Amino acid sequence: SASRPLHKREMLSSRPRFNVTPTTHRHSLGARRHRSVAVSRIRPRTNGTSAVMGDATAALESLELNEERFVGLLRNLIGEVEKLQNTGVGTAYVPQEDLAIKHVLDVLAPHRVENGGPLEIDHVTYAEGRGNLIIKYPGTGTAEDVLSFVGSHLDVVPANPDAWDVDPFSLTVDGDKLSGRGTTDCLGHVALMTTLFSQIAELKPKLKTSLTCVFIASEEASGPGIGVDGLVAEGKLDHCKPGPVVWVDCADSQPCIGTAGAITWHLTATGHRFHSGLPHKGINGIELGMEACARLQAKFYETFPACQKERDYKFITPSTMKPTQIKCAPGGLNQIPPEATISGDVRLTPFYEVAKLKQCIEDEVAAMNKDIEALPTRGPCSKYVINPEGAEPIVGRLSLEWGDHLLTGIACDLESPAFKLMCDAINEVKGKAEPYSLTGSLPLVHEMQQEGFDIQLIGFGLMSTYHADNEYCSLNDMKDAAKILSRLITKFG
């Protein structure tokens, strides 16, 4: 809907970055700073361990993506996209994620425990046809030795074939370019992780660390309790809490270390309709709304200014509040509009609290209603209170409504072993790790962090094609992604 905040589609491909020096893997978890959420107690293996690794583990460290398997699975997944489009429960597009899961299970079938393989697979459904998939590769360590890959989702945003140069509902391969809805967001990641886990199952490396991969339903639009929120509520992911959770649903093959919250708002200004030739007898809802919006913005930037932590995390912009849409009561151009609604959003960095934001704005609206005449007027006939002779005063008023959809930002733990080792793996494969933050928004991750998960963010599609017409991903990027992830796994051992 128009009021729903955009999130990943707004993530910009150009952004300030900072380099990460490769670690020596000698970090002690006991020396880590205090965190309010559960932290990993996994001890990554040291570099010296590689000399005594088994052949299978050494092969994992040098793994190359099975290109034929990956492209074949992606082709099957994109072939289901017409029925994976999602605009929310009760709308025109309600996906059937189980259609995608069927193809994933076909690839993993030979490697399931039931068929003599090492993979434990749990197909969890909270709504008919809308499943989630939990895949486990058990390690030899304790329950605390875990590394999880979560967040790759099975639904997509809608695509209009008329706006595309290729068919969005089938995979088009043009050299390195793989086109189709979901190639970047996020079926490309589903195919990547499925192929990677199938290759791990074939190698059967002896790992101390248990691996989990989770594919989720209902990420692109509302569907409470259907996707990862349902899994968390039911305790299906509790086994992931002791170790890092790598959320595989960002882009550009670099760690995203911070996102912003997205909160929508609607400010309605109610005035009094009258003939525009007699403006002194009306209260202009548009003027009242614009002046009130300006005051709210001034209050916002005074209360939630740019801060040092935003600079530390290399955020592209600080927190912002701005109008993005306006509508008014129908009428003629020769009438003073009696009502106007100005709508917009707030992008709030994770260093400020949403509850405090809401209280601040609500208090300011109440203060304006208490003294509506204190707002600036426009010209000698503009006013917000009319005193008709022999009648009660007509007073302009303001009302604020928060949108239903709310996303909260996240600041990743930069002391997490997963973050440091992920940067090392990227350095090895790409030559440089360049973590970044941005005021785009991701759903679900803040809630998981609040539940005690150590969330780290990465993805391997292209930021420039997120939710775009002619969406595509790079095959070479996905091949590099398999190298990065397999090296990350071997670094944990």
Side-chain angles (χ1 to χ4, degrees):
S1 67
S3 63
R4 181 183 184 275
L6 308 179
H7 40 92
K8 289 173 296 185
R9 75 190 72 182
E10 299 153 335
M11 296 181 179
L12 307 176
S13 58
S14 59
R15 59 213 178 212
R17 298 182 174 181
F18 60 93
N19 299 336
V20 174
T21 303
T23 68
T24 58
H25 313 317
R26 291 194 295 266
H27 28 277
S28 167
L29 297 181
R32 291 176 60 191
R33 62 179 172 81
H34 173 74
R35 299 176 64 226
S36 59
V37 296
V39 298
S40 169
R41 291 178 291 277
I42 294 177
R43 295 188 180 276
R45 69 172 179 83
T46 62
N47 288 337
T49 307
S50 59
V52 294
M53 285 192 303
D55 291 343
T57 307
L60 175 60
E61 189 169 38
S62 59
L63 180 141
E64 298 277 348
L65 182 69
N66 186 320
E67 184 176 328
E68 181 180 355
R69 187 179 303 168
F70 167 77
V71 173
L73 174 56
L74 185 58
R75 188 182 305 279
N76 288 335
L77 293 173
I78 302 301
E80 303 287 1
V81 157
E82 278 192 89
K83 295 182 180 179
L84 298 176
Q85 298 175 100
N86 191 3
T87 52
V89 174
T91 68
Y93 295 106
V94 178
Q96 294 292 293
E97 287 92 343
D98 279 354
L99 295 173
I101 286 177
K102 175 186 180 297
H103 296 294
V104 171
L105 291 177
D106 285 346
V107 171
L108 297 180
H111 312 297
R112 299 183 68 156
V113 168
E114 299 91 325
N115 297 323
L119 298 182
E120 301 171 0
I121 298 177
D122 190 7
H123 184 185
V124 183
T125 303
Y126 300 111
E128 185 176 356
R130 306 201 60 189
N132 305 269
L133 204 63
I134 302 173
I135 307 162
K136 298 179 184 177
Y137 181 84
T140 61
T142 69
E144 295 183 350
D145 298 310
V146 292
L147 175 63
S148 304
F149 302 92
V150 183
S152 298
H153 52 90
L154 303 156
D155 58 333
V156 301
V157 295
N160 176 9
D162 294 337
W164 284 57
D165 297 330
V166 297
D167 181 5
F169 305 134
S170 63
L171 182 68
T172 299
V173 179
D174 181 10
D176 179 55
K177 187 176 181 179
L178 307 178
S179 300
R181 175 59 86 219
T183 47
T184 271
D185 182 29
C186 188
L187 297 176
H189 290 131
V190 173
L192 167 70
M193 298 307 300
T194 301
T195 305
L196 177 61
F197 266 65
S198 72
Q199 292 184 246
I200 292 173
E202 289 170 345
L203 291 173
K204 296 184 176 65
K206 284 191 175 182
L207 300 175
K208 180 181 179 182
T209 301
S210 293
L211 307 177
T212 296
C213 179
V214 183
F215 299 138
I216 60 174
S218 193
E219 190 269 357
E220 291 292 4
S222 61
I226 293 174
V228 73
D229 50 347
L231 296 173
V232 171
E234 200 177 54
K236 289 287 188 179
L237 302 186
D238 283 354
H239 69 281
C240 300
K241 283 186 179 180
V245 172
V246 180
W247 189 269
V248 187
D249 185 24
C250 292
D252 290 353
S253 304
Q254 296 290 346
C256 177
I257 57 176
T259 67
I263 306 99
T264 55
W265 53 269
H266 310 280
L267 177 69
T268 298
T270 302
H272 181 64
R273 189 194 302 272
F274 215 83
H275 194 289
S276 65
L278 300 168
H280 63 294
K281 291 183 176 290
I283 298 174
N284 192 314
I286 293 177
E287 291 183 355
L288 175 58
M290 292 173 73
E291 293 296 343
C293 181
R295 180 159 151 180
L296 287 180
Q297 287 182 279
K299 183 66 175 180
F300 174 86
Y301 290 112
E302 173 191 322
T303 310
F304 306 98
C307 65
Q308 183 58 45
K309 284 186 177 180
E310 292 165 356
R311 292 185 283 273
D312 293 342
Y313 269 74
K314 304 298 178 183
F315 270 90
I316 297 169
T317 68
S319 299
T320 58
M321 177 182 185
K322 61 277 182 192
T324 56
Q325 293 183 4
I326 186 169
K327 64 179 180 180
C328 65
L333 293 178
N334 61 349
Q335 290 179 304
I336 300 295
E339 184 177 283
T341 298
I342 301 173
S343 300
D345 77 350
V346 173
R347 295 290 167 150
L348 195 69
T349 61
F351 314 112
Y352 291 114
E353 296 178 17
V354 173
K356 290 183 178 179
L357 158 75
K358 288 187 172 183
Q359 190 63 58
C360 171
I361 300 302
E362 290 168 5
D363 288 348
E364 194 67 9
V365 171
M368 287 188 286
N369 277 326
K370 190 174 181 180
D371 188 11
I372 201 76
E373 289 184 290
L375 287 172
T377 55
R378 303 191 174 199
C381 299
S382 178
K383 58 184 67 177
Y384 305 130
V385 177
I386 299 173
N387 293 291
E389 189 174 343
E392 290 292 319
I394 301 171
V395 181
R397 65 183 185 277
L398 303 164
S399 61
L400 177 74
E401 180 183 350
W402 298 105
D404 292 334
H405 197 83
L406 183 150
L407 299 172
T408 305
I410 181 175
C412 295
D413 178 12
L414 304 187
E415 297 301 316
S416 166
F419 171 70
K420 295 184 175 185
L421 297 179
M422 188 159 57
C423 288
D424 288 351
I426 293 170
N427 268 313
E428 293 169 8
V429 176
K430 293 287 192 180
K432 182 184 293 186
E434 300 177 309
Y436 65 95
S437 296
L438 72 175
T439 50
S441 301
L442 284 170
L444 311 173
V445 291
H446 171 80
E447 289 75 12
M448 287 189 68
Q449 190 182 62
Q450 292 298 105
E451 287 284 339
F453 294 88
D454 173 18
I455 300 291
Q456 301 294 322
L457 309 174
I458 196 170
F460 305 97
L462 298 172
M463 195 78 72
S464 59
T465 73
Y466 253 104
H467 292 196
D469 296 334
N470 300 310
E471 177 185 349
Y472 69 94
C473 70
S474 160
L475 177 58
N476 284 329
D477 282 348
M478 292 298 178
K479 291 164 71 174
D480 282 349
K483 295 177 183 178
I484 291 168
L485 296 177
S486 61
R487 292 184 185 207
L488 174 62
I489 290 168
T490 57
K491 289 177 189 297
F492 276 90

